[in-house]
Amino acid sequence: MARYADPGVLEWVESGGGPLIAVPETVLPFWAGADTEELDTDYDRACEVAGHIGLLPVGDSAALVLGDEPASTSYLPEHHTLVRWSAADSEDELLAAVPAALAEAEWGDEVRWTVPGPVVLFDSARQGGDTPHVEHLRIPLDPGPYAVRAAWATPRPETWVGLVQLRRLAG
């Protein structure tokens, strides 16, 4: 997994240029990525998602697509937020700016995402079954519904960060 600081605090996931996707572990084998004979691949569907976030059906569940730009991404469980590294001189600088970014963020519309449990974040061009062998990040979410919202923030002049916040809903 990519690391931007040595030794680095977080594991970061990158893509080859397309969107990242968070797929529930239970349906990983159903995500075919770009490596199929189909004319409209799962990767193509992910690339068609407009905006910062969107949901795509996968098996009997849904995957969360992180659209807009293929920024390196990690998860901060204390903020229930995926952090997308757009610009910062170091990992420490980026992480120090997260509280201010969360406070100033202008959030977009929320989507409701129901997950059966943990999800795996990886490059949407990859097949879900390949995740043990490719760069990925397991996010230990509790089963149930989540409100998901996204924003980009500039908490410092040279620090730009994308945020995808997951808020657990009752029921």
Side-chain angles (χ1 to χ4, degrees), residues 4 12 68-73 83-90 94 151-155 158-163:
Y4 282 75
W12 294 90
D68 192 39
E69 72 171 62
S72 297
T73 303
V83 176
R84 311 199 68 207
W85 188 331
S86 188
D89 288 332
S90 69
L94 181 79
W152 287 94
T154 308
E158 299 298 320
T159 305
W160 306 332
V161 61
L163 306 164

Side-chain angles (χ1 to χ4, degrees), residues 7-101:
V9 175
L10 299 176
E11 299 288 341
W12 294 90
V13 176
E14 296 183 334
S15 82
L20 293 174
I21 190 162
V23 178
E25 278 183 331
T26 59
V27 295
L28 274 173
F30 297 105
W31 183 261
D35 215 11
T36 67
E37 300 295 321
E38 302 293 322
L39 293 176
D40 188 24
T41 67
D42 286 342
Y43 174 73
D44 292 332
R45 293 188 312 132
C47 289
E48 291 172 4
V49 168
H52 301 301
I53 56 173
L55 298 176
L56 290 178
V58 179
D60 63 356
S61 193
L64 177 67
V65 178
L66 306 183
D68 192 39
E69 72 171 62
S72 297
T73 303
S74 193
Y75 183 68
L76 298 178
E78 66 273 21
H79 296 291
H80 309 286
T81 301
L82 291 157
V83 176
R84 311 199 68 207
W85 188 331
S86 188
D89 288 332
S90 69
E91 182 183 56
D92 288 341
E93 180 181 302
L94 181 79
L95 296 178
V98 167

